[in-house]
Amino acid sequence: MRHDTIPMQKQNKIAGWGLLIGVLLIASSLRAPLTSVGALLPYIRDDLGISNTVAGSLTTLPLLAFAAVSPFASVVASRIGMEWTLFYAFILLTIGLVGRTLFGITLLLAGTIIVGLAIAFGNVLLPAIIKMKFPLKIGLFTGLYAVFMNIFGALASGVSLPLSRISGWGWQGSLAFWAVLSIVALIVWLPQLRKKRGTQKSTDENGEAINNNIWRSSLAWNITVYMGTQSMVFFTMISWLPDILKSTGYSSDAAGWILSLMQLAFIPFSFITPVIAEKMKNQKVLAAITGIMVMIGAGGLLIGNAVTIIIAVICIGGACGAAFSLSMMFFSLRSNDGQEASRISGMAQSFGYLIAAIGPVLLGFMHDLTANWVLPIIVVGFVGVILIVTGIKSGADGKIGKFKYS
């Protein structure tokens, strides 16, 4: 054995761990800047003298930014490389996180948009990075990044108010705090910039580069709808579950704790599901189960007693966690290479977050029309049917097919 073999293996192992830590730090910064805003909205509103509508836009604008930018993330990455694209995106994220705390409402809104634009790149490109760098462990690393993303998202939601109470911090200091995490992610990501720019593409049996038109792929559209509908269920429940529970007699505090239970159920399912899915020939059964769990959850909310509500929120939280991770896996498993994975991810997350943004508004409108939550909950149950259909199609073993043009 050559004397340099062991040191080389050690270097490769260190580089692999460095890449994994970088991916997890990036994942940790993809939700915390958004979830940290919710508990602070009343204080931001009162301090700046803005309306509830303007304050509410601070949570809506990032979703719209995701929808607008996601399809273009893969285009940028194909030109300068995924590693450099993520690096520049996190510089932008840091600027947005600091900028939104300065000089009033104009920079608050501008910074919020910048934060949304930057996070969109991370949302789209991380599944592709996992496809490229960890092809034999897609399930495990998808689960890990989903867990880190959502744990830090939940943590930010819980600590944002206590941080704002530190002397001299206020809501500005609390929001700016999360720039520390993005700066650490930038520093840890620096070694990845030594890699060659660009992305290796797969080739067909004739040695020609595969260049599919994903917008004409029924599989890509099924993945997109699956991604979108699971996001719709999650954001709708985040928005309206407390009101649904209060209509059945729960106090505001109790409703808040039950919402936390739903979010806690999300985390283990988001890790376990891709680990199991990776060992299966196809993921049709797992994807169908997520839809069934949403239907069970909707039924439990309609019944409305204490036992069925607890079962319902665990089912809905677990279904959303499992479906989120499956969506991320589908970007990798159904693509031919990392670049195609980023394009599917961009397409699915663009339309997915549009559906997610529409869901809470649509169900709120239905509640206004009917003066109760029965019809909106039935609609959530119907979304479970859509998850079953699109999940079975997305979970079938196969990849995006090559299109022939005459």
Side-chain angles (χ1 to χ4, degrees):
M1 180 180 290
R2 291 180 54 184
H3 294 294
D4 61 352
T5 301
I6 294 177
M8 184 62 70
Q9 290 175 343
K10 187 175 181 180
Q11 288 177 20
N12 289 339
K13 189 173 183 179
I14 292 172
W17 277 105
L19 174 60
L20 176 59
I21 293 170
V23 165
L24 296 181
L25 281 170
I26 288 174
S28 301
S29 297
L30 295 182
R31 287 295 175 271
L34 308 179
T35 58
S36 59
V37 174
L40 298 172
L41 277 181
Y43 302 91
I44 296 171
R45 179 196 61 204
D46 295 344
D47 185 36
L48 298 178
I50 58 178
S51 66
N52 283 317
T53 302
V54 175
S57 71
L58 298 177
T59 56
T60 304
L61 284 173
L63 293 179
L64 297 177
F66 294 169
V69 173
S70 292
F72 304 104
S74 62
V75 177
V76 177
S78 68
R79 292 181 179 273
I80 67 173
M82 292 188 189
E83 294 86 357
W84 279 94
T85 303
L86 284 170
F87 181 73
Y88 291 136
F90 264 63
I91 291 175
L92 196 65
L93 176 60
T94 305
I95 293 170
L97 287 172
V98 175
R100 69 179 179 176
T101 66
L102 305 174
F103 309 126
I105 185 60
T106 301
L107 276 183
L108 177 61
L109 293 174
T112 298
I113 293 171
I114 291 171
V115 166
L117 296 176
I119 290 176
F121 281 90
N123 285 340
V124 170
L125 296 181
L126 269 196
I129 288 283
I130 290 172
K131 165 81 173 181
M132 290 169 53
K133 306 297 185 180
F134 307 105
L136 301 180
K137 295 288 184 181
I138 289 174
L140 175 62
F141 290 126
T142 297
L144 280 173
Y145 112 69
V147 166
F148 271 74
M149 183 173 69
N150 288 291
I151 283 178
F152 273 82
L155 182 66
S157 182
V159 305
S160 59
L161 199 55
L163 284 174
S164 73
R165 291 171 178 158
I166 295 175
S167 178
W169 279 43
W171 63 264
Q172 294 94 335
S174 180
L175 290 183
F177 170 80
W178 299 102
V180 174
L181 187 58
S182 69
I183 291 169
V184 173
L186 273 171
I187 294 170
V188 174
W189 194 250
L190 283 172
Q192 308 309 318
L193 305 183
R194 301 172 189 163
K195 311 291 174 63
K196 184 179 178 181
R197 295 190 180 201
T199 303
Q200 183 67 36
K201 289 195 173 185
S202 296
T203 57
D204 61 17
E205 63 274 10
N206 299 319
E208 297 178 2
I210 296 174
N211 188 21
N212 294 321
N213 184 347
I214 60 169
W215 298 93
R216 294 178 58 182
S217 166
S218 60
L219 175 54
W221 277 108
N222 276 293
I223 293 171
T224 296
V225 175
Y226 185 78
M227 165 70 192
T229 48
Q230 64 85 19
S231 296
M232 175 187 172
V233 172
F234 181 74
F235 284 105
T236 298
M237 288 295 104
I238 288 291
S239 299
W240 295 121
L241 182 61
D243 277 10
I244 292 171
L245 295 177
K246 283 189 280 186
S247 72
T248 65
Y250 281 83
S251 67
S252 295
D253 287 347
W257 281 112
I258 293 174
L259 178 61
S260 297
L261 176 62
M262 189 196 86
Q263 293 174 277
L264 285 173
F266 185 105
I267 294 172
F269 278 88
S270 68
F271 176 74
I272 295 168
T273 302
V275 173
I276 295 172
E278 189 176 39
K279 302 180 185 299
M280 303 174 72
K281 183 178 179 180
N282 65 64
Q283 296 76 38
K284 292 191 288 186
V285 172
L286 280 179
I289 288 172
T290 63
I292 293 169
M293 289 174 69
V294 168
M295 295 173 69
I296 293 171
L301 291 178
L302 283 175
I303 294 171
N305 66 47
V307 174
T308 63
I309 283 176
I310 296 300
I311 294 172
V313 297
I314 292 173
C315 281
I316 291 173
C320 290
F324 173 81
S325 289
L326 279 176
S327 298
M328 300 299 109
M329 279 196 77
F330 291 154
F331 303 153
S332 299
L333 294 178
R334 303 297 170 249
S335 58
N336 293 285
D337 53 50
Q339 189 61 39
E340 188 169 82
S342 70
R343 289 194 287 129
I344 297 172
S345 178
M347 171 183 172
Q349 296 199 55
S350 174
F351 281 88
Y353 284 114
L354 271 181
I355 295 172
I358 291 169
V361 177
L362 177 62
L363 268 67
F365 176 70
M366 290 179 178
H367 174 262
D368 289 342
L369 283 180
T370 61
N372 62 58
W373 287 106
V374 173
L375 180 59
I377 293 171
I378 290 172
V379 170
V380 171
F382 178 73
V383 171
V385 177
I386 298 174
L387 281 171
I388 293 172
V389 174
T390 57
I392 289 173
K393 292 182 180 295
S394 301
D397 186 25
K399 297 184 185 297
I400 301 292
K402 187 172 182 181
F403 292 88
K404 301 293 185 180
Y405 298 95
S406 56

